[in-house]
Amino acid sequence: MNDLEELIRAEIVERGCIPFARFMEMALYHPQYGYYERAADQTGRGGDFYTSVSVGSLFGQLLAAQFAEWVGQLSQPFGSDNTKFQLVEAGTHDGRLALDILSWFQQRAPELLSQLEYWIIEPSTGRRSVQEKTLKTFVPQVRWFSSWSAMASQSVRGAIFANELLDAFPVHRFGWDAARQIWFEWGVTWDANGFQWIRVADSVRAATSDPRQFVWPEIPQELTAALPDGFTIELGPSAEAWWFQAACALGQGKLLTLDYGLDQEAFFAPHRAAGTLRGYHKHRLVSNLLANVGRQDLTAPVNFTSLQRAGERAGLLTERLLAQAEFLTRIAEKAWADPSRFGEWPPQMKRQFQTLIHPEHLGRAFRVLIQSRS
Ligand SMILES: C[S@@+](CC[C@H](N)C(=O)[O-])C[C@H]1O[C@@H](n2cnc3c(N)ncnc32)[C@H](O)[C@@H]1O
């Protein structure tokens, strides 16, 4: 049993069992032993999974070209000669995407670089120091905030974005009890064979998680009547709350996420009866999500419908929800038409583009939600 497993076990012994969301939070984000706090590379060939960023620098360059176009559409703040705009990234991880974006501005749109402020929302001090090293040449441009509230009343004029952030947020797991026609929460307990799934008793659930934090999906009566016993769904209230806060921070411009996710009704497809939570280790799906704690990735697709509603509650307009392939192809087509923005693509850039848009790689499963405030 590793140190993190010991800590989780102690919490279970004290509380009887813990909601899965708490287990996932500790497994991924424990400040000392959490999966994302380790020095090791989690993404790319040597890690556990690929992200669009780990494919190469083209992804960041395409995003930067899109941001430059959007920034050109911002209106001037009334009565002000301050032409600054902000790009705000969260889930910055090792800072590679930030570096690719800032380098593109430096090389291809230097006239905008002096107006650009790159803000990073990073709760982890360990991750922040990794990012500071990656971005050392752009230090005057970059500012870190530990949370949305640390930004106080400063509002963003530009774009707020994240790549594969929200699918790494802790989720609660619920199962359908067909006999009682109610959802029960899956928790985690421990026995001599390791961590085990357990149905959280209603009384324990009331004491450990606040039911008011869940916006339950609207499920038609006919669907619940047909759901098989044990049908499992995941709900991510923290992702939705994060999106709402981001939406509130946006004064003018775009809010976008590029992520692995589904529309709400897709969570109820018969082939997803066992839920959508996944674990990855060395590019393979793991069979036991509760094993190897802190050493394997845990992830669940985002619910784009609930994000969309959260943004709209904060006054944003939903512009598009589209496949990553379509989003990046549109940007690339504009870039090809204006060689000053990109120049000739060498073969390795063409290969990166194929990987980013290929339906079997990152093109179809990854989608882009864009909301805006004008
Ligand atoms: C799957 S990785 C994605 C990394 C990177 N964006 C990429 O595409 O390669 C998720 C990252 O989000 C970070 N993260 C998790 N919760 C966060 C939060 N509330 N605010 C900012 N970053 C967070 C994790 O520490 C991790 O570095």
Side-chain angles (χ1 to χ4, degrees), residues 206-249:
T208 54
S209 54
D210 178 357
R212 285 168 306 177
Q213 69 182 306
F214 297 104
V215 180
W216 273 91
E218 289 146 25
I219 313 169
Q221 186 78 43
E222 317 81 72
L223 178 59
T224 45
L227 281 180
D229 190 52
F231 191 98
T232 300
I233 59 165
E234 285 84 20
L235 294 185
S238 53
E240 201 178 299
W242 188 94
W243 190 259
F244 181 77
Q245 281 188 295
C248 292

Short mmCIF file of all heavy atoms in Angstrom, two decimals, residues 206-249:
data_model
loop_
_atom_site.label_atom_id
_atom_site.label_comp_id
_atom_site.label_asym_id
_atom_site.label_seq_id
_atom_site.Cartn_x
_atom_site.Cartn_y
_atom_site.Cartn_z
N ALA A 206 -26.26 11.74 3.00
CA ALA A 206 -26.75 13.03 3.48
C ALA A 206 -25.67 13.74 4.31
O ALA A 206 -25.54 14.95 4.28
CB ALA A 206 -28.01 12.83 4.30
N ALA A 207 -24.89 12.94 5.04
CA ALA A 207 -23.88 13.55 5.91
C ALA A 207 -22.60 13.93 5.14
O ALA A 207 -21.87 14.80 5.55
CB ALA A 207 -23.52 12.57 7.03
N THR A 208 -22.31 13.24 4.03
CA THR A 208 -21.01 13.45 3.38
C THR A 208 -21.07 14.35 2.16
O THR A 208 -20.09 14.96 1.80
CB THR A 208 -20.38 12.12 2.94
OG1 THR A 208 -21.33 11.44 2.12
CG2 THR A 208 -19.96 11.28 4.10
N SER A 209 -22.18 14.40 1.47
CA SER A 209 -22.20 15.27 0.29
C SER A 209 -23.51 16.03 0.27
O SER A 209 -24.55 15.48 0.55
CB SER A 209 -22.02 14.45 -0.99
OG SER A 209 -22.97 13.42 -1.04
N ASP A 210 -23.41 17.28 -0.08
CA ASP A 210 -24.57 18.14 -0.03
C ASP A 210 -25.40 17.94 -1.30
O ASP A 210 -24.95 18.30 -2.39
CB ASP A 210 -24.08 19.59 0.08
CG ASP A 210 -25.21 20.58 0.09
OD1 ASP A 210 -26.37 20.14 -0.05
OD2 ASP A 210 -24.93 21.78 0.24
N PRO A 211 -26.59 17.35 -1.20
CA PRO A 211 -27.35 17.04 -2.41
C PRO A 211 -27.72 18.28 -3.20
O PRO A 211 -27.95 18.20 -4.40
CB PRO A 211 -28.61 16.33 -1.89
CG PRO A 211 -28.59 16.44 -0.42
CD PRO A 211 -27.26 16.98 0.03
N ARG A 212 -27.69 19.47 -2.55
CA ARG A 212 -28.07 20.68 -3.29
C ARG A 212 -27.06 21.04 -4.37
O ARG A 212 -27.34 21.81 -5.25
CB ARG A 212 -28.21 21.86 -2.32
CG ARG A 212 -29.46 21.80 -1.48
CD ARG A 212 -29.37 22.80 -0.39
NE ARG A 212 -28.15 22.61 0.39
CZ ARG A 212 -27.77 23.37 1.39
NH1 ARG A 212 -28.48 24.39 1.74
NH2 ARG A 212 -26.66 23.12 2.05
N GLN A 213 -25.82 20.47 -4.26
CA GLN A 213 -24.82 20.84 -5.26
C GLN A 213 -25.09 20.16 -6.61
O GLN A 213 -24.47 20.49 -7.60
CB GLN A 213 -23.44 20.51 -4.77
CG GLN A 213 -23.16 19.02 -4.67
CD GLN A 213 -21.79 18.72 -4.14
OE1 GLN A 213 -20.81 19.20 -4.65
NE2 GLN A 213 -21.72 17.93 -3.11
N PHE A 214 -25.98 19.19 -6.67
CA PHE A 214 -26.22 18.48 -7.92
C PHE A 214 -27.38 19.06 -8.69
O PHE A 214 -28.47 19.19 -8.16
CB PHE A 214 -26.54 17.00 -7.65
CG PHE A 214 -25.40 16.28 -7.01
CD1 PHE A 214 -25.43 15.99 -5.67
CD2 PHE A 214 -24.29 15.94 -7.75
CE1 PHE A 214 -24.36 15.36 -5.06
CE2 PHE A 214 -23.21 15.31 -7.15
CZ PHE A 214 -23.26 15.03 -5.81
N VAL A 215 -27.10 19.43 -9.94
CA VAL A 215 -28.21 19.76 -10.82
C VAL A 215 -28.50 18.45 -11.54
O VAL A 215 -27.72 17.99 -12.38
CB VAL A 215 -27.79 20.85 -11.84
CG1 VAL A 215 -28.95 21.18 -12.76
CG2 VAL A 215 -27.31 22.09 -11.11
N TRP A 216 -29.59 17.81 -11.15
CA TRP A 216 -29.87 16.50 -11.74
C TRP A 216 -30.32 16.65 -13.17
O TRP A 216 -31.08 17.54 -13.50
CB TRP A 216 -30.96 15.78 -10.93
CG TRP A 216 -30.34 15.02 -9.82
CD1 TRP A 216 -30.11 15.48 -8.57
CD2 TRP A 216 -29.80 13.71 -9.89
NE1 TRP A 216 -29.47 14.52 -7.84
CE2 TRP A 216 -29.26 13.42 -8.63
CE3 TRP A 216 -29.71 12.73 -10.89
CZ2 TRP A 216 -28.66 12.21 -8.33
CZ3 TRP A 216 -29.11 11.53 -10.60
CH2 TRP A 216 -28.58 11.27 -9.34
N PRO A 217 -29.82 15.76 -14.04
CA PRO A 217 -30.27 15.82 -15.43
C PRO A 217 -31.77 15.58 -15.52
O PRO A 217 -32.33 14.83 -14.71
CB PRO A 217 -29.51 14.67 -16.10
CG PRO A 217 -28.78 13.94 -15.05
CD PRO A 217 -28.90 14.66 -13.76
N GLU A 218 -32.41 16.31 -16.46
CA GLU A 218 -33.85 16.04 -16.64
C GLU A 218 -33.97 14.74 -17.43
O GLU A 218 -33.52 14.67 -18.56
CB GLU A 218 -34.50 17.16 -17.44
CG GLU A 218 -34.60 18.45 -16.66
CD GLU A 218 -34.43 19.67 -17.55
OE1 GLU A 218 -34.69 19.58 -18.76
OE2 GLU A 218 -34.00 20.71 -17.01
N ILE A 219 -34.53 13.74 -16.78
CA ILE A 219 -34.63 12.44 -17.44
C ILE A 219 -36.11 12.14 -17.68
O ILE A 219 -36.90 12.13 -16.73
CB ILE A 219 -34.03 11.32 -16.57
CG1 ILE A 219 -32.66 11.76 -16.03
CG2 ILE A 219 -33.91 10.03 -17.34
CD1 ILE A 219 -32.11 10.87 -14.95
N PRO A 220 -36.50 11.92 -18.94
CA PRO A 220 -37.91 11.63 -19.19
C PRO A 220 -38.36 10.38 -18.42
O PRO A 220 -37.58 9.43 -18.28
CB PRO A 220 -37.98 11.39 -20.71
CG PRO A 220 -36.68 11.85 -21.25
CD PRO A 220 -35.69 11.88 -20.14
N GLN A 221 -39.61 10.42 -17.94
CA GLN A 221 -40.19 9.33 -17.16
C GLN A 221 -40.03 7.97 -17.87
O GLN A 221 -39.65 6.97 -17.25
CB GLN A 221 -41.68 9.65 -16.97
CG GLN A 221 -42.44 8.70 -16.05
CD GLN A 221 -42.15 9.02 -14.60
OE1 GLN A 221 -42.12 10.18 -14.22
NE2 GLN A 221 -41.90 8.01 -13.80
N GLU A 222 -40.26 7.97 -19.20
CA GLU A 222 -40.19 6.70 -19.95
C GLU A 222 -38.77 6.14 -19.91
O GLU A 222 -38.59 4.92 -19.93
CB GLU A 222 -40.56 6.86 -21.45
CG GLU A 222 -41.77 7.73 -21.78
CD GLU A 222 -41.43 9.19 -21.79
OE1 GLU A 222 -40.74 9.63 -22.72
OE2 GLU A 222 -41.84 9.92 -20.86
N LEU A 223 -37.78 7.03 -19.86
CA LEU A 223 -36.39 6.56 -19.85
C LEU A 223 -36.06 5.91 -18.52
O LEU A 223 -35.52 4.80 -18.46
CB LEU A 223 -35.43 7.72 -20.15
CG LEU A 223 -33.94 7.37 -20.13
CD1 LEU A 223 -33.60 6.29 -21.14
CD2 LEU A 223 -33.09 8.60 -20.40
N THR A 224 -36.42 6.58 -17.41
CA THR A 224 -36.09 5.98 -16.11
C THR A 224 -36.83 4.66 -15.93
O THR A 224 -36.29 3.70 -15.38
CB THR A 224 -36.43 6.92 -14.93
OG1 THR A 224 -37.71 7.47 -15.13
CG2 THR A 224 -35.42 8.00 -14.76
N ALA A 225 -38.05 4.59 -16.45
CA ALA A 225 -38.82 3.34 -16.31
C ALA A 225 -38.09 2.20 -17.03
O ALA A 225 -38.19 1.04 -16.61
CB ALA A 225 -40.22 3.54 -16.89
N ALA A 226 -37.33 2.54 -18.08
CA ALA A 226 -36.68 1.49 -18.87
C ALA A 226 -35.23 1.24 -18.45
O ALA A 226 -34.60 0.30 -18.93
CB ALA A 226 -36.70 1.90 -20.35
N LEU A 227 -34.69 2.07 -17.54
CA LEU A 227 -33.27 1.89 -17.19
C LEU A 227 -33.07 0.58 -16.43
O LEU A 227 -33.79 0.29 -15.48
CB LEU A 227 -32.80 3.04 -16.28
CG LEU A 227 -32.45 4.38 -16.92
CD1 LEU A 227 -31.99 5.36 -15.85
CD2 LEU A 227 -31.38 4.21 -17.99
N PRO A 228 -32.07 -0.21 -16.82
CA PRO A 228 -31.82 -1.45 -16.09
C PRO A 228 -31.25 -1.18 -14.69
O PRO A 228 -30.61 -0.14 -14.48
CB PRO A 228 -30.80 -2.18 -16.96
CG PRO A 228 -30.17 -1.14 -17.80
CD PRO A 228 -31.15 -0.02 -17.95
N ASP A 229 -31.46 -2.11 -13.80
CA ASP A 229 -30.94 -1.98 -12.44
C ASP A 229 -29.41 -1.81 -12.51
O ASP A 229 -28.75 -2.51 -13.27
CB ASP A 229 -31.29 -3.24 -11.63
CG ASP A 229 -31.00 -3.04 -10.17
OD1 ASP A 229 -31.48 -2.03 -9.61
OD2 ASP A 229 -30.28 -3.87 -9.59
N GLY A 230 -28.88 -0.86 -11.76
CA GLY A 230 -27.43 -0.67 -11.72
C GLY A 230 -26.90 0.26 -12.79
O GLY A 230 -25.69 0.54 -12.82
N PHE A 231 -27.76 0.76 -13.68
CA PHE A 231 -27.29 1.70 -14.71
C PHE A 231 -26.53 2.84 -14.02
O PHE A 231 -27.01 3.41 -13.04
CB PHE A 231 -28.48 2.25 -15.51
CG PHE A 231 -28.05 3.00 -16.74
CD1 PHE A 231 -28.07 2.39 -17.98
CD2 PHE A 231 -27.61 4.32 -16.66
CE1 PHE A 231 -27.66 3.06 -19.13
CE2 PHE A 231 -27.19 5.00 -17.79
CZ PHE A 231 -27.22 4.37 -19.03
N THR A 232 -25.36 3.15 -14.54
CA THR A 232 -24.47 4.08 -13.83
C THR A 232 -24.25 5.37 -14.62
O THR A 232 -24.02 5.33 -15.83
CB THR A 232 -23.12 3.38 -13.58
OG1 THR A 232 -23.37 2.22 -12.79
CG2 THR A 232 -22.14 4.27 -12.84
N ILE A 233 -24.32 6.50 -13.91
CA ILE A 233 -23.95 7.78 -14.54
C ILE A 233 -22.99 8.53 -13.60
O ILE A 233 -22.96 8.28 -12.40
CB ILE A 233 -25.17 8.70 -14.85
CG1 ILE A 233 -25.95 9.02 -13.60
CG2 ILE A 233 -26.04 8.13 -15.94
CD1 ILE A 233 -26.93 10.17 -13.78
N GLU A 234 -22.24 9.44 -14.19
CA GLU A 234 -21.37 10.30 -13.39
C GLU A 234 -21.87 11.74 -13.50
O GLU A 234 -22.30 12.16 -14.57
CB GLU A 234 -19.92 10.26 -13.90
CG GLU A 234 -19.18 9.00 -13.56
CD GLU A 234 -19.43 7.87 -14.53
OE1 GLU A 234 -19.88 8.15 -15.66
OE2 GLU A 234 -19.21 6.70 -14.16
N LEU A 235 -21.83 12.45 -12.41
CA LEU A 235 -22.18 13.88 -12.43
C LEU A 235 -20.99 14.67 -11.93
O LEU A 235 -20.35 14.30 -10.94
CB LEU A 235 -23.37 14.17 -11.52
CG LEU A 235 -24.73 13.57 -11.88
CD1 LEU A 235 -25.79 14.06 -10.92
CD2 LEU A 235 -25.13 13.90 -13.31
N GLY A 236 -20.72 15.77 -12.63
CA GLY A 236 -19.54 16.58 -12.27
C GLY A 236 -19.92 17.98 -11.83
O GLY A 236 -19.73 18.93 -12.59
N PRO A 237 -20.45 18.12 -10.62
CA PRO A 237 -20.86 19.46 -10.18
C PRO A 237 -19.70 20.44 -10.11
O PRO A 237 -19.88 21.64 -10.31
CB PRO A 237 -21.48 19.23 -8.80
CG PRO A 237 -20.99 17.90 -8.35
CD PRO A 237 -20.68 17.10 -9.58
N SER A 238 -18.47 19.94 -9.86
CA SER A 238 -17.36 20.90 -9.74
C SER A 238 -16.98 21.46 -11.12
O SER A 238 -16.59 22.64 -11.22
CB SER A 238 -16.15 20.27 -9.04
OG SER A 238 -15.79 19.08 -9.67
N ALA A 239 -17.11 20.66 -12.18
CA ALA A 239 -16.83 21.17 -13.53
C ALA A 239 -17.84 22.25 -13.90
O ALA A 239 -17.49 23.31 -14.45
CB ALA A 239 -16.87 20.04 -14.54
N GLU A 240 -19.10 21.98 -13.57
CA GLU A 240 -20.16 22.94 -13.90
C GLU A 240 -19.97 24.25 -13.11
O GLU A 240 -20.11 25.35 -13.67
CB GLU A 240 -21.48 22.28 -13.51
CG GLU A 240 -22.65 22.86 -14.19
CD GLU A 240 -23.89 22.10 -13.74
OE1 GLU A 240 -23.96 20.88 -13.98
OE2 GLU A 240 -24.76 22.73 -13.15
N ALA A 241 -19.61 24.12 -11.82
CA ALA A 241 -19.40 25.32 -11.00
C ALA A 241 -18.21 26.11 -11.53
O ALA A 241 -18.23 27.35 -11.57
CB ALA A 241 -19.16 24.91 -9.54
N TRP A 242 -17.17 25.40 -11.96
CA TRP A 242 -15.96 26.06 -12.50
C TRP A 242 -16.33 26.86 -13.75
O TRP A 242 -15.94 28.01 -13.93
CB TRP A 242 -14.90 25.01 -12.84
CG TRP A 242 -13.58 25.60 -13.22
CD1 TRP A 242 -12.52 25.84 -12.41
CD2 TRP A 242 -13.19 26.05 -14.54
NE1 TRP A 242 -11.50 26.41 -13.13
CE2 TRP A 242 -11.88 26.56 -14.44
CE3 TRP A 242 -13.82 26.07 -15.78
CZ2 TRP A 242 -11.19 27.07 -15.52
CZ3 TRP A 242 -13.13 26.61 -16.87
CH2 TRP A 242 -11.83 27.09 -16.73
N TRP A 243 -17.14 26.22 -14.61
CA TRP A 243 -17.53 26.88 -15.88
C TRP A 243 -18.35 28.14 -15.60
O TRP A 243 -18.18 29.17 -16.23
CB TRP A 243 -18.32 25.90 -16.74
CG TRP A 243 -18.57 26.36 -18.14
CD1 TRP A 243 -19.73 26.90 -18.62
CD2 TRP A 243 -17.66 26.35 -19.24
NE1 TRP A 243 -19.59 27.22 -19.94
CE2 TRP A 243 -18.32 26.89 -20.35
CE3 TRP A 243 -16.33 25.92 -19.39
CZ2 TRP A 243 -17.72 27.02 -21.60
CZ3 TRP A 243 -15.74 26.05 -20.64
CH2 TRP A 243 -16.42 26.59 -21.72
N PHE A 244 -19.24 28.05 -14.60
CA PHE A 244 -20.06 29.20 -14.24
C PHE A 244 -19.17 30.36 -13.76
O PHE A 244 -19.35 31.51 -14.18
CB PHE A 244 -21.07 28.81 -13.15
CG PHE A 244 -21.98 29.93 -12.73
CD1 PHE A 244 -23.05 30.30 -13.54
CD2 PHE A 244 -21.77 30.62 -11.55
CE1 PHE A 244 -23.89 31.36 -13.18
CE2 PHE A 244 -22.60 31.67 -11.17
CZ PHE A 244 -23.67 32.03 -11.99
N GLN A 245 -18.17 30.02 -12.94
CA GLN A 245 -17.25 31.07 -12.45
C GLN A 245 -16.47 31.68 -13.60
O GLN A 245 -16.27 32.90 -13.66
CB GLN A 245 -16.25 30.47 -11.46
CG GLN A 245 -16.82 30.26 -10.07
CD GLN A 245 -15.70 29.85 -9.14
OE1 GLN A 245 -15.11 28.80 -9.28
NE2 GLN A 245 -15.38 30.71 -8.20
N ALA A 246 -16.01 30.84 -14.54
CA ALA A 246 -15.26 31.35 -15.70
C ALA A 246 -16.16 32.27 -16.51
O ALA A 246 -15.73 33.35 -16.94
CB ALA A 246 -14.78 30.17 -16.55
N ALA A 247 -17.41 31.86 -16.68
CA ALA A 247 -18.35 32.67 -17.46
C ALA A 247 -18.56 34.03 -16.80
O ALA A 247 -18.61 35.07 -17.48
CB ALA A 247 -19.68 31.92 -17.61
N CYS A 248 -18.65 34.03 -15.47
CA CYS A 248 -18.85 35.29 -14.75
C CYS A 248 -17.62 36.19 -14.89
O CYS A 248 -17.73 37.42 -14.87
CB CYS A 248 -19.14 35.04 -13.27
SG CYS A 248 -20.72 34.25 -13.00
N ALA A 249 -16.43 35.58 -14.99
CA ALA A 249 -15.19 36.37 -15.09
C ALA A 249 -15.02 37.00 -16.47
O ALA A 249 -14.19 37.89 -16.65
CB ALA A 249 -13.98 35.49 -14.77
#
